[in-house]
């Protein structure tokens, strides 16, 4: 089975993000493989282990995004491709999904495409469905379990009310949630192999996208949330009972109870 997993490089979730001159910055904080995408990579590898075939990790991003692709290779993906072109600077999800769909078509004969639930930075959570729409393939979001049947898949979707079972023909696009598996750590051999791997770069032109691209959604400005100030008051007393009574009086005075 020819499988693609789409991955994004994001700032570490522990990074402190600040706003400078209307733009988000995370300073020197490390960039990582989007944590949700580790589950997508793991599921792609598990599917290959069950059914055979090949897993290609695909990312659209700057040169540094190679590091995220190397982690996907170290975990066990067979190949990785970076889509990188100045045309994609300030791309919105419509442009990114168009580029990813074009990259998937260029790979040919793909049967399954995995996405993470969302990226931890932009967090729109729409790219899987948008890419499926571009490909004209079924989109199955929030997958928490997948089983394979002759030319079809059965997926348990994680929804608020419980789990919904859906069946789909292939090819299909699936976004996964973290309940689906436990991502493996890259092995020492995997890390060595990834460090030597060639990661080809595909330009916009090489995937059939040319001319100027203007995003439908633009980001004119970002601003930090208003800082809220709070006062802290300690209730003192000679005994626990006196403190409790003082606390109850204050809560009643503030109409909390
Ligand atoms: C410098 C910069 C400028 C930007 N300017 C704009 C702008 O002007 N207008 C605007 O609307 N957006 C802008 N964006 C956001 C950009 O459009 C999104 O980062 C991108 O479309 C992906 O959306 P998302 O991160 O919300 O993905 P989600 O939909 O939340 O991600 C879902 C899944 O899609 C996959 N995925 C996400 N991104 C990629 C990727 N790049 N390659 C491969 N797989 C991926 C992953 O599996 C991920 O788990 C900008 C981003 C950057 C870095």
């Amino acid at each position: 089975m020819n499988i693609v997993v789409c991955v994004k490089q994001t700032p570490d979730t522990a990074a402190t993000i600040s706003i400078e001159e209307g733009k988000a910055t995370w300073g020197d904080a490390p960039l990582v493989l989007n944590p949700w995408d580790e589950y997508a990579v793991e599921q792609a590898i598990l599917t290959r282990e069950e059914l055979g075939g090949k897993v290609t990790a695909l990312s659209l991003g700057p040169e540094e995004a190679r590091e995220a692709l190397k982690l996907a290779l170290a975990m066990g993906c067979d190949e990785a491709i970076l889509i990188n072109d100045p045309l994609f600077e300030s791309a919105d999800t419509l442009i990114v999904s168009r580029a990813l769909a074009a990259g998937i078509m260029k790979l040919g004969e793909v049967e399954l495409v995995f996405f993470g639930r969302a990226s931890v930075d932009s967090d729109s959570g729409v790219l899987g469905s948008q890419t499926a729409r571009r490909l004209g393939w079924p989109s199955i979001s929030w997958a928490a379990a997948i089983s394979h049947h002759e030319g079809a898949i059965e997926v348990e979707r994680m929804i608020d009310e419980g789990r919904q079972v859906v069946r789909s023909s292939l090819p299909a696009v699936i976004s996964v949630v973290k309940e689906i598996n436990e991502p493996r750590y890259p092995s020492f051999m995997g890390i060595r192999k990834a460090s030597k791997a060639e990661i080809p770069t595909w330009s916009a032109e090489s995937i059939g996208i040319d001319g100027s691209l203007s995003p439908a959604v633009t980001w004119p400005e970002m601003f930090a949330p208003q800082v809220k100030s709070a006062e802290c008051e300690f209730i003192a007393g000679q005994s626990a009972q006196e403190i409790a009574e003082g606390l109850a009086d204050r809560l009643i005075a503030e109409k909390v109870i």
Side-chain angles (χ1 to χ4, degrees), residues 6-8 26 34 36-37 40 58-61 89-94 96-97 100 114-128 215 217-219:
C6 291
V7 297
K8 185 182 185 187
W26 41 88
N34 176 36
W36 293 107
D37 298 352
L58 181 64
S59 188
L60 183 151
E89 273 166 28
S90 302
D92 62 2
T93 56
L94 285 173
V96 176
S97 61
L100 292 179
F114 286 104
F115 281 80
R117 187 186 77 83
S119 66
V120 294
D121 52 358
S122 308
D123 202 15
S124 46
V126 296
L127 218 55
V217 177
T218 54
W219 288 358

Side-chain angles (χ1 to χ4, degrees), residues 11-193:
D12 195 325
T13 43
T16 308
I17 304 207
S18 58
I19 308 291
E20 284 173 18
E21 293 168 13
K23 290 201 163 60
T25 172
W26 41 88
D28 295 333
L31 294 167
V32 297
L33 174 63
N34 176 36
W36 293 107
D37 298 352
E38 290 183 19
Y39 298 89
V41 170
E42 177 66 29
Q43 198 57 36
I45 296 168
L46 288 173
T47 308
R48 181 201 59 202
E49 285 171 354
E50 186 187 341
L51 303 172
K54 186 174 83 170
V55 178
T56 305
L58 181 64
S59 188
L60 183 151
E63 268 301 308
E64 307 88 76
R66 274 177 201 285
E67 292 307 313
L69 287 169
K70 279 189 185 163
L71 185 65
L73 287 170
M75 284 175 75
C77 291
D78 302 281
E79 289 174 6
I81 292 159
L82 177 69
I83 301 177
N84 171 262
D85 196 294
L87 266 190
F88 298 125
E89 273 166 28
S90 302
D92 62 2
T93 56
L94 285 173
I95 294 175
V96 176
S97 61
R98 185 175 155 198
L100 292 179
I104 292 162
M105 290 312 284
K106 182 170 161 136
L107 284 167
E109 299 299 306
V110 172
E111 280 166 281
L112 261 181
V113 182
F114 286 104
F115 281 80
R117 187 186 77 83
S119 66
V120 294
D121 52 358
S122 308
D123 202 15
S124 46
V126 296
L127 218 55
S129 303
Q130 282 184 341
T131 307
R133 177 76 179 85
R134 298 265 185 209
L135 292 163
W137 295 355
S139 165
I140 301 158
S141 57
W142 297 64
I146 303 174
S147 56
H148 298 269
H149 306 267
E150 199 64 24
I153 43 167
E154 190 168 280
V155 176
E156 280 181 30
R157 297 186 63 237
M158 188 93 172
I159 54 174
D160 284 347
E161 296 76 17
R163 296 221 175 172
Q164 176 193 42
V165 177
V166 296
R167 274 194 169 221
S168 168
S169 58
L170 296 176
V173 176
I174 301 178
S175 73
V176 304
V177 293
K178 65 180 173 44
E179 286 73 13
I180 197 163
N181 58 43
E182 194 54 52
R184 68 194 69 191
Y185 287 105
S187 66
F188 179 65
M189 288 298 288
I191 293 169
R192 279 192 58 173
K193 203 174 133 208

Side-chain angles (χ1 to χ4, degrees), residues 171-244:
V173 176
I174 301 178
S175 73
V176 304
V177 293
K178 65 180 173 44
E179 286 73 13
I180 197 163
N181 58 43
E182 194 54 52
R184 68 194 69 191
Y185 287 105
S187 66
F188 179 65
M189 288 298 288
I191 293 169
R192 279 192 58 173
K193 203 174 133 208
S195 69
K196 293 185 195 146
E198 287 275 320
I199 300 180
T201 304
W202 286 356
S203 65
E205 194 186 356
S206 76
I207 52 172
I209 296 178
D210 48 22
S212 65
L213 296 170
S214 51
V217 177
T218 54
W219 288 358
E221 193 195 354
M222 275 198 182
F223 50 87
Q226 237 181 354
V227 180
K228 287 188 183 157
S229 61
E231 278 174 25
C232 188
E233 181 183 336
F234 287 95
I235 310 286
Q238 298 300 318
S239 64
Q241 185 168 348
E242 197 181 318
I243 295 169

